[in-house]
Amino acid sequence: QVQLAESGGGLVQAGDSLRVSCAASGRTLNGYASAWFRQAPGKEREFVAAFSRTGGYTYYGDSVKGRFTISRDKDKSTLYLQMNSLKPEDAAIYYCAAGSGVITSEIRNPRAYSSWGQGTQVTVSS
């Protein structure tokens, strides 16, 4: 099982950019679908972005499409989320997740992922 640890969250102003990272340990993310989710207080966990298991496809939530970019390093041990043009409604705890058995139709479903990090807080002031 892969272990995940997020970092890079913080307080930014609306319109700013921020990159959060997710370091994998125990094994790399090769062969895992890997994703970012977020959860704001009082709301359900929301899909943000994901790589397919092969890494050949990326998926984005409608609210972040065109502003956020998911990427990972060449050895597939670190997952990134570049967030541009941040809005106050982007404020949340951001979690990375990985799953070896995630199929395409379930890529946006948090229940499909077996490994989760502890989360990193992103706060956006208006």
Side-chain angles (χ1 to χ4, degrees), residues 32-103:
Y32 283 75
S34 50
W36 288 97
F37 289 83
R38 67 186 183 186
Q39 190 165 19
K43 295 189 176 182
E44 292 189 353
R45 195 159 294 192
E46 178 189 8
F47 172 76
V48 176
F51 271 108
S52 63
R53 278 185 298 171
T54 64
Y57 296 94
T58 55
Y59 304 86
Y60 291 94
D62 289 341
S63 62
V64 305
K65 202 173 294 183
R67 299 187 298 123
F68 290 12
T69 303
I70 190 172
S71 65
R72 57 190 187 187
D73 60 0
K74 290 181 69 174
D75 64 5
K76 299 181 178 64
S77 63
T78 306
L79 187 71
Y80 301 101
L81 183 70
Q82 177 67 42
M83 302 181 287
N84 297 330
S85 303
L86 281 160
K87 305 175 182 179
E89 52 263 43
D90 294 318
I93 299 175
Y94 282 71
Y95 298 92
C96 63
S100 59
V102 182
I103 58 177

Side-chain angles (χ1 to χ4, degrees), residues 10-18 84-88 123-126:
L11 171 64
V12 297
Q13 292 188 330
D16 284 352
S17 298
L18 188 68
N84 297 330
S85 303
L86 281 160
K87 305 175 182 179
T123 304
V124 185
S125 64
S126 57

Side-chain angles (χ1 to χ4, degrees), residues 2-5 22-29 76-79:
V2 62
Q3 288 81 48
L4 304 171
C22 172
S25 61
R27 59 163 297 160
T28 69
L29 295 172
K76 299 181 178 64
S77 63
T78 306
L79 187 71

